[in-house]
Amino acid sequence: MLTTEDNQLLTRVGPGTPMGELMRQYWVPALLSSELPDSDSDPVRLMLLGEKLVAFRDTSGRVGLLRHLCPHRGAPLFLGRNEENGLRCVYHGWKFDVTGKCVDMPNEPPESDFKKKIKPAGYPCVEKGGVVWAYLGPRAEPPPLPALEALDTPEEERLILPLMVNCNWLQIVEGGLDTVHVSFLHAGHIRPEDAPPGSFLEHITRDRTLRYKVCDTDYGYICGAYRPVGDDHYYWRIAQFLFPFYAMVPTGVLGAKVETLMTVPLDDHHTMQYAVLKKGTGTYIAPGQTVGLLLDQTPLLPNSTDWLGRFRSTKNAGNDYLIDREAQRRGDSFTGITGFVHEDLAMTEQMDPILDRSIEHLGTTDMAVIRLRRRLIAATKALAENGTTPPGVDDPSVYQQRAGGVVLPKDADWMEATEELRRAEVSHPELDLTISGGA
């Protein structure tokens, strides 16, 4: 159970908050490159870490991210003209380049040097892996980007699935690392005899509890959750948390799956989650299925120009996620909600926008959630009180990790036995992806 003070520390992300300042030490995914499709295309409104911002692609193809109000009289830059390598406010004609520098002030007389006195109000942006990254932090020279394998995957092999979630970022990350819920929320209706023999799915339905081992790392932590397989082996579900908001969840086969979940706070009550994965590596996929089932092939609402109008599912709280109570009663589904992602969505959103964690009663299978909170609290307080740089900021190589499932002998050292399988950029053609059975 968290104190109210610690709960606020973990969940509040706006400028000046301890967690918001920790996240501003890192590059932050701001939007997809495809949301700014062409030079001089329409600007995009977006929220990011509690700030209202406007993104645009200039005539030369560079991306700018500006505070949304013109520094002259506070007019909305979203309604400005994107032209000739700058965004021009239509109120008085002030024009800003991608750095936020004022490059034209046509309402001032020619001899005026006033534009040189306007402090730039933009954030550095770079593009990598189909994502526009922004640095909202204090350094004059930003740190390196994280070396996430999924984002380094060639474009033709990479898939990015964005989804708006209407709740605080932390309960989403906690849900991804809470591996025991899979046996109930996603597979509670499946009998072990109905799963492929010897598969991971059989293991999680035959024994629905777990035991945990968690180790801190220089990028966050690694969690191994295990259950018996016969008399001599354990099935391990190995997950990774990587600062400040990345998770590699234990679905699929360890050593083959290439995926990262990027859970980006827009504000305290709304989050954009990007699932970035390499196609064909077994993520959420049973034999014969397609990756579209990650979102149950549920269409998204058309993006609007609202601050929170991007990548919203048509299956949502307003229609109770299209829950089918008859399917739930028949046992066709444990939840009556189709799609793993939407089952998770229903749980995290309906906890309330920010969960009051003082009501919780955590048990032994909540170890991963407990360790996540402790790591975040410690890093946030170390930054606020001592100026300690958070984990991973200056060393992109520590993000070269993988997660997934594996069966090991009971007497094996799980960290030592999986070291090579957890290493990114290593090929393991000998692995059988069908062993997951869809787990």
Side-chain angles (χ1 to χ4, degrees), residues 13 15 20-21 23-30 46-51 53 65 67 122-125 133-139 142:
V13 297
E21 293 308 303
M23 291 187 176
R24 284 168 173 77
Q25 304 300 307
Y26 301 84
W27 285 95
V28 180
L46 61 92
M47 294 284 295
L48 194 61
L49 301 184
E51 293 192 49
L53 304 169
L65 189 64
R67 297 189 181 100
Y123 293 115
C125 292
W133 299 76
Y135 180 68
L136 282 64
R139 297 188 184 185

Side-chain angles (χ1 to χ4, degrees), residues 29 236 260 302:
W236 289 84
T260 301

Side-chain angles (χ1 to χ4, degrees), residues 170-350:
L170 184 61
Q171 53 217 58
I172 304 169
V173 178
E174 289 176 347
L177 296 168
D178 169 23
T179 184
V180 74
H181 83 266
V182 174
S183 295
F184 302 94
L185 183 70
H186 304 315
H189 61 294
I190 299 174
R191 301 178 304 173
E193 57 267 30
D194 294 332
S199 68
F200 295 170
L201 184 60
E202 181 189 16
H203 304 330
I204 68 171
T205 54
R206 191 170 297 284
D207 185 343
R208 296 182 189 267
T209 190
L210 284 171
R211 290 165 179 82
Y212 281 85
K213 294 185 182 294
V214 185
C215 297
D216 290 345
T217 66
D218 51 4
Y219 52 83
Y221 75 71
I222 179 171
C223 174
Y226 62 100
R227 49 168 57 87
V229 175
D231 296 328
D232 302 320
H233 290 79
Y234 287 130
Y235 164 46
W236 289 84
R237 291 173 61 82
I238 294 176
Q240 307 261 18
F241 166 68
L242 309 95
F243 274 88
F245 43 55
Y246 305 109
M248 296 177 182
V249 298
T251 53
V253 178
L254 181 64
K257 191 188 72 167
V258 177
E259 177 193 21
T260 301
L261 299 180
M262 310 191 301
T263 305
V264 183
L266 305 185
D267 60 18
D268 293 344
H269 295 160
H270 302 89
T271 306
M272 188 67 69
Q273 185 169 68
Y274 304 91
V276 188
L277 54 111
K278 183 177 181 180
K279 298 176 183 177
T281 60
T283 305
Y284 297 102
I285 304 174
Q289 294 181 340
T290 67
V291 77
L293 292 179
L294 176 63
L295 286 176
D296 190 42
Q297 300 178 327
T298 299
L300 299 178
L301 294 167
N303 280 4
S304 73
T305 59
D306 297 340
W307 295 111
L308 300 167
R310 302 160 51 232
F311 305 113
R312 299 159 298 162
S313 179
T314 54
K315 192 186 299 181
N316 52 53
N319 53 33
D320 292 321
Y321 310 93
L322 301 182
I323 187 170
D324 183 341
R325 292 292 189 183
E326 289 305 314
Q328 194 181 53
R329 291 186 182 96
R330 288 194 305 269
D332 298 342
S333 164
F334 195 68
T335 64
I337 299 169
T338 54
F340 292 178
V341 166
H342 287 92
E343 289 174 326
D344 287 330
L345 189 69
M347 297 301 103
T348 54
E349 287 189 340
Q350 296 300 293

Side-chain angles (χ1 to χ4, degrees), residues 73-126:
R73 293 278 308 283
L77 288 177
F78 171 75
L79 300 178
R81 299 169 60 91
N82 188 6
E83 59 184 20
E84 298 175 342
N85 281 320
L87 189 61
R88 188 183 296 277
C89 178
V90 295
Y91 202 10
H92 297 94
W94 288 23
K95 182 179 176 181
F96 305 90
D97 67 12
V98 293
T99 70
K101 177 183 177 182
C102 186
V103 295
D104 190 23
M105 197 176 283
N107 66 324
E108 287 287 305
E111 64 273 15
S112 171
D113 66 349
F114 187 38
K115 68 180 181 183
K116 297 179 182 178
K117 301 177 181 179
I118 303 301
K119 184 179 180 180
Y123 293 115
C125 292
V126 296

